[in-house]
Amino acid sequence: MSQLRHPVSTCATCAVQWKMWLFKVFGVIYMVAVCASEDNDATTYSYSDSKSTAPPPFVPPVPVLEQTPSSSDFFSSEKVVLECKATSSSELIFTWKKNGSPLGSGPDLSQYPDKSVLTITSASPQDSGNYTCVVEGKKKPSQTKESGPVNIQVNEIPVPTITETPKWAHVFPTESVKFKCGIGPDSHNWIYTWYRDGTQVNADGTVSFNTNGAGLSISSASAGHTGKYNCSGKIQNRAVTSQTSSEVSLTVYAEKPTLTLTRDPDYDVMFAGEAVNFSCAISVQSEWTYLWYKDGSEVTGSSDKLVVQIRGTADGGSYTCNATRGQNPTFITDSSVPKQLKVQENKPKPSMTQQPDAKKLYVGENVSFECKVENSDGWSYDWYKDGASILTNSNSLKMERLDLSKEGVYKCKAKRDKTGFNTEFSDQRTLQISEIPVPTLKLVTKWPDVFPTENVNMRCEMQTDSADWTYAFYRDGTKVQDYNSATDTRSLSITSASASDRGNYSCSGKLKIRDVYSITSSPLKLNVYAQKPTLTLTRDPEYDVMFAGEAVTFSCAISVPSEWKYLWYKDNSQVTGSSDKLTVQINGTADEGSYTCKATRGQNPAFITDSSGAKQLKVQAEKPTLTLTRDPNYDVMFAGESVNFSCAISVHSEWKYLWYKDGSQVTGSSDKLTVQINGTADGGSYTCKATRGQNPAFITDLSAAKQLKVQGKFLLILLQNIYLLSSRFVPAFISESFS
């Protein structure tokens, strides 16, 4: 970029210069004329001692000292010309003084041959001072005349200063920038040139300068304007150029600054009565003014903070901020990323959960409550038991190894420490705590004494809520069945018992849904015999032979009493019967056979003993025959005699006999019947039957009849008299029988 040059000469200044030039020319002509006249005077007049009149003494003219340029202040390296002007017809001698002393020589000092002109070719501060010139006649040096002083002040060339810079060294695209350069109090006499990173800055579409170049303006900054700026000055119409100023750095970012909008507290949801603080942070610090917007409409605020006192849902919305600085034009950043403020109209009510979520807990368990306000954050929580505060600033309440004192009604409430906002109370939960129940182990199969291959079922149950538990079983302290929440473990089944299953059994419970364990139950002793029980089969009556119409009862006795069910077999085929007795009502020889029994108990499968020993049942198709005999077997018997009937049966057994006379039953039950004949009434037709058993009793057919014939009473009296006459000769038993 080339420096702008401004014209410093006008027509008026040109005229003045011409006049000064003509003045100098005429001045020279005048001085020549004066000198010539003085020389003529010298040749014309002479001094003598006569009384003739003498010429007056030579008086040099008073010199006038002129300075070019006319300024009183000069800068190092400038050229200064002092001209001593004096008009005289005589030849003059010029000398120079500085500060009243003769002027010495120096490399920067030069004079005309007549020394009327003094030139300081390259001034320096040492050349400063009051200059005068002295004139005297060359031929008549008796007198001198000194000019008035001209003060020459030579200063070092001042260094320009950038007197005006942007308020901020870091600017952004489209932002305006202004610099101003100045040199001392006479800054206006200078014209200025600007440099960026050592290269002259020229005006273009965005860069402009004021009249003398002191002011540099960038109307719309871009990254290309970044650099180190300095300036230099040059006095108008003088060959004085300053050094460059100190550098001022300007950084133009490639992009506008970013804004970070934060919210404190940054809760997801807020409520009426709370306050929220928005903070707009910019990536480059400066003297920013902030603009605030809600849902695109500007709201009051100019600092980097915006406080919103929430009164209702109307305060909810999308909040953004912009930053601005400078004027004419004002620079504005892009909007920040919005922050949403969600306001809920109703006061929240926290939810309270319990883990484990059970209505009833047990002594020794752990429990925790959690309090939570849905869809929002930033809460701390207070806990209450039976209305009294028990814990603060925690969203959970944990209690370990519960005891009965922890029973009660629990609830919670939430608060926000940053805003002091409180919620309503949560719904309350009642904590019920019980002692862990003790399980009871019982036999389902009802008998503690079992036999090889037999099934055994035990059942473990709690006093209450038994189905909520799973169970483990132990034999002599060793676990034989573990907990299993997926199945019903209340029962322990031994499908085929053996001697190794013998022992003391116990059980313990565990809650299916959590790790709560009971103590073990009282022991239950299980005895497993080494062998199956033995059966003893008996028969009643145990007759060798039985007959149709009779009944026989078999009894199956087991060596170990229990709730047995019995199975009956005839010739290895099962017959109807389930008790330990089997009564067979004999209908014929089909009932004859080998009878056995077994005992069984339990189900799925039932336990069955080995068979008992067999009992034989022999059945005779025909009834037994009876043979009736009489002793004595006289044709005729008489009163006072006795007769013995004997009823013999073809099958020996425990018979009871029935006796009949003329079809009517007479007293007697053995196989013998003795009839003491008292008269003819004892005579008749005698028969017998045999019977055994009862309900009903078995009765044989009647035997063949035996007749007993008895004589009348006359014959009896005759016999008595004979007895009296010969009693001494009659055996005693005979006389006794007749007495």
Side-chain angles (χ1 to χ4, degrees):
M1 297 173 63
S2 62
Q3 182 179 6
L4 294 176
R5 297 289 185 177
H6 300 282
V8 295
S9 297
T10 64
C11 292
T13 57
C14 289
V16 171
Q17 290 177 348
W18 277 103
K19 289 179 180 180
M20 290 182 68
W21 183 82
L22 289 174
F23 176 77
K24 290 179 181 180
V25 171
F26 287 123
V28 171
I29 295 172
Y30 171 77
M31 291 298 292
V32 171
V34 170
C35 290
S37 66
E38 288 180 351
D39 288 342
N40 290 331
D41 290 342
T43 59
T44 302
Y45 295 98
S46 62
Y47 295 96
S48 66
D49 294 334
S50 66
K51 292 183 180 179
S52 61
T53 303
F58 177 73
V59 178
V62 176
V64 176
L65 188 59
E66 292 184 357
Q67 168 192 326
T68 303
S70 61
S71 174
S72 61
D73 291 325
F74 295 89
F75 295 100
S76 295
S77 77
E78 267 197 292
K79 180 181 178 180
V80 182
V81 177
L82 297 176
E83 185 177 1
C84 190
K85 291 184 177 182
T87 302
S88 175
S89 59
S90 300
E91 188 177 0
L92 298 175
I93 298 174
F94 294 89
T95 58
W96 294 89
K97 290 182 180 180
K98 177 185 176 184
N99 297 327
S101 299
L103 179 66
S105 61
D108 294 328
L109 298 177
S110 67
Q111 299 182 32
Y112 276 12
D114 64 354
K115 298 184 180 179
S116 63
V117 178
L118 174 66
T119 300
I120 305 173
T121 58
S122 180
S124 66
Q126 290 79 8
D127 296 320
S128 297
N130 290 313
Y131 286 81
T132 60
C133 67
V134 179
V135 296
E136 61 182 336
K138 187 175 182 180
K139 295 180 177 180
K140 297 177 181 181
S142 59
Q143 288 188 359
T144 62
K145 290 294 183 178
E146 187 172 352
S147 69
V150 172
N151 182 263
I152 301 297
Q153 184 67 38
V154 182
N155 299 310
E156 293 288 353
I157 299 176
V159 177
T161 303
I162 299 179
T163 59
E164 184 178 325
T165 61
K167 292 182 179 180
W168 32 84
H170 297 77
V171 296
F172 304 92
T174 74
E175 199 166 9
S176 63
V177 178
K178 289 185 178 181
F179 293 98
K180 187 174 183 180
C181 189
I183 300 179
D186 296 327
S187 179
H188 60 279
N189 292 327
W190 297 75
I191 58 175
Y192 298 90
T193 302
W194 287 89
Y195 305 89
R196 179 176 64 245
D197 297 331
T199 300
Q200 184 175 341
V201 179
N202 296 314
D204 59 18
T206 58
V207 178
S208 62
F209 304 93
N210 64 358
T211 303
N212 63 350
L216 183 154
S217 297
I218 302 172
S219 61
S220 180
S222 64
H225 295 118
T226 296
K228 294 181 178 180
Y229 287 77
N230 55 12
C231 61
S232 66
K234 181 182 181 303
I235 296 180
Q236 300 183 59
N237 303 320
R238 291 165 64 178
V240 177
T241 301
S242 72
Q243 300 178 30
T244 56
S245 68
S246 298
E247 295 176 333
V248 175
S249 293
L250 176 67
T251 299
V252 182
Y253 290 95
E255 297 177 349
K256 289 184 178 183
T258 57
L259 297 175
T260 302
L261 180 60
T262 58
R263 202 184 85 192
D264 182 30
D266 196 14
Y267 301 142
D268 293 337
V269 178
M270 298 193 73
F271 305 91
E274 292 190 281
V276 61
N277 298 310
F278 291 95
S279 295
C280 193
I282 196 164
S283 56
V284 177
Q285 298 300 318
S286 183
E287 297 177 1
W288 298 101
T289 297
Y290 294 85
L291 306 175
W292 292 93
Y293 303 87
K294 173 184 170 292
D295 298 329
S297 298
E298 188 171 356
V299 295
T300 302
S302 61
S303 75
D304 61 340
K305 310 283 186 190
L306 176 67
V307 178
V308 178
Q309 193 70 40
I310 300 172
R311 294 178 174 82
T313 55
D315 293 314
S318 178
Y319 285 79
T320 56
C321 65
N322 283 1
T324 180
R325 67 180 182 183
Q327 299 178 19
N328 302 318
T330 299
F331 173 75
I332 301 178
T333 66
D334 294 331
S335 290
S336 67
V337 175
K339 277 285 185 182
Q340 301 297 324
L341 175 60
K342 185 177 180 181
V343 177
Q344 184 172 311
E345 183 173 0
N346 297 325
K347 197 171 189 179
K349 179 179 180 179
S351 62
M352 178 178 166
T353 57
Q354 176 185 324
Q355 186 61 34
D357 189 9
K359 292 183 178 179
K360 180 169 67 176
L361 296 174
Y362 294 93
V363 170
E365 277 198 274
N366 301 334
V367 68
S368 63
F369 293 107
E370 185 176 23
C371 195
K372 184 178 180 181
V373 178
E374 297 295 336
N375 303 320
S376 60
D377 55 355
W379 301 99
S380 63
Y381 298 86
D382 296 332
W383 292 90
Y384 301 83
K385 176 180 180 287
D386 299 329
S389 176
I390 56 173
L391 180 66
T392 60
N393 298 328
S394 176
N395 71 323
S396 63
L397 173 63
K398 297 181 179 179
M399 293 179 284
E400 297 181 347
R401 301 189 63 81
L402 293 174
D403 55 41
L404 298 178
S405 67
K406 297 298 190 297
E407 279 194 331
V409 177
Y410 291 82
K411 60 183 177 180
C412 65
K413 184 168 68 173
K415 66 180 179 181
R416 278 175 166 165
D417 293 334
K418 289 186 177 181
T419 63
F421 181 78
N422 289 288
T423 69
E424 297 179 358
F425 279 104
S426 68
D427 291 335
Q428 64 188 25
R429 292 187 71 110
T430 300
L431 188 61
Q432 179 182 349
I433 302 172
S434 301
E435 295 284 356
I436 298 176
V438 179
T440 301
L441 181 61
K442 295 180 179 179
L443 276 172
V444 177
T445 46
K446 299 182 181 179
W447 38 81
D449 298 313
V450 295
F451 303 94
T453 74
E454 192 171 12
N455 282 355
V456 178
N457 286 318
M458 302 178 188
R459 188 175 181 87
C460 188
E461 291 187 338
M462 296 293 187
Q463 294 175 350
T464 59
D465 303 324
S466 186
D468 295 339
W469 298 77
T470 180
Y471 301 89
F473 290 82
Y474 309 86
R475 181 180 63 245
D476 298 330
T478 300
K479 187 179 289 184
V480 294
Q481 179 174 296
D482 206 351
Y483 306 108
N484 188 342
S485 299
T487 61
D488 186 357
T489 58
R490 283 179 286 182
S491 296
L492 174 67
S493 295
I494 303 173
T495 56
S496 181
S498 64
S500 62
D501 296 315
R502 183 186 300 127
N504 290 313
Y505 285 78
S506 59
C507 65
S508 63
K510 173 190 173 298
L511 273 181
K512 290 181 179 179
I513 58 175
R514 56 185 187 272
D515 292 339
V516 177
Y517 297 87
S518 74
I519 63 173
T520 56
S521 66
S522 298
L524 175 66
K525 185 175 182 179
L526 178 67
N527 181 36
V528 182
Y529 290 94
Q531 296 177 350
K532 291 184 178 181
T534 58
L535 297 175
T536 302
L537 181 60
T538 58
R539 199 185 82 189
D540 183 29
E542 200 163 358
Y543 304 144
D544 293 338
V545 179
M546 298 195 73
F547 305 93
E550 286 192 287
V552 62
T553 298
F554 293 95
S555 295
C556 194
I558 196 166
S559 57
V560 178
S562 183
E563 296 180 3
W564 296 100
K565 179 182 177 182
Y566 294 85
L567 305 176
W568 293 94
Y569 302 86
K570 173 181 170 291
D571 299 329
N572 296 322
S573 295
Q574 190 169 356
V575 295
T576 303
S578 60
S579 73
D580 61 340
K581 298 190 181 298
L582 176 66
T583 299
V584 179
Q585 195 69 40
I586 301 172
N587 295 315
T589 56
D591 295 315
E592 184 177 82
S594 177
Y595 285 81
T596 57
C597 68
K598 292 181 181 179
T600 181
R601 65 182 181 183
Q603 300 178 35
N604 301 319
F607 171 74
I608 301 177
T609 66
D610 295 333
S611 290
S612 65
K615 280 290 183 180
Q616 300 298 322
L617 175 61
K618 186 177 180 181
V619 177
Q620 186 172 302
E622 297 177 353
K623 290 184 178 182
T625 58
L626 294 175
T627 301
L628 181 60
T629 60
R630 197 185 77 189
D631 183 33
N633 194 18
Y634 301 142
D635 292 337
V636 177
M637 300 286 295
F638 300 96
E641 288 187 292
S642 66
V643 62
N644 296 311
F645 292 95
S646 293
C647 192
I649 195 166
S650 58
V651 176
H652 295 287
S653 183
E654 297 177 358
W655 296 100
K656 178 181 178 184
Y657 293 87
L658 304 175
W659 292 93
Y660 300 88
K661 174 180 171 289
D662 297 331
S664 298
Q665 189 174 353
V666 295
T667 302
S669 60
S670 72
D671 60 341
K672 306 287 186 187
L673 176 65
T674 300
V675 178
Q676 291 292 333
I677 301 172
N678 294 314
T680 56
D682 293 319
S685 176
Y686 285 81
T687 56
C688 67
K689 289 181 181 180
T691 182
R692 63 183 180 186
Q694 49 186 335
N695 299 321
F698 174 74
I699 302 176
T700 65
D701 294 334
L702 286 172
S703 64
K706 280 291 183 180
Q707 297 298 321
L708 176 59
K709 186 177 181 180
V710 177
Q711 287 290 339
K713 190 175 180 181
F714 174 79
L715 180 58
L716 179 58
I717 295 172
L718 178 61
L719 289 174
Q720 287 176 343
N721 291 328
I722 294 172
Y723 171 74
L724 292 173
L725 292 175
S726 57
S727 58
R728 67 179 65 183
F729 302 106
V730 179
F733 69 87
I734 295 177
S735 63
E736 291 177 359
S737 63
F738 281 98
S739 62

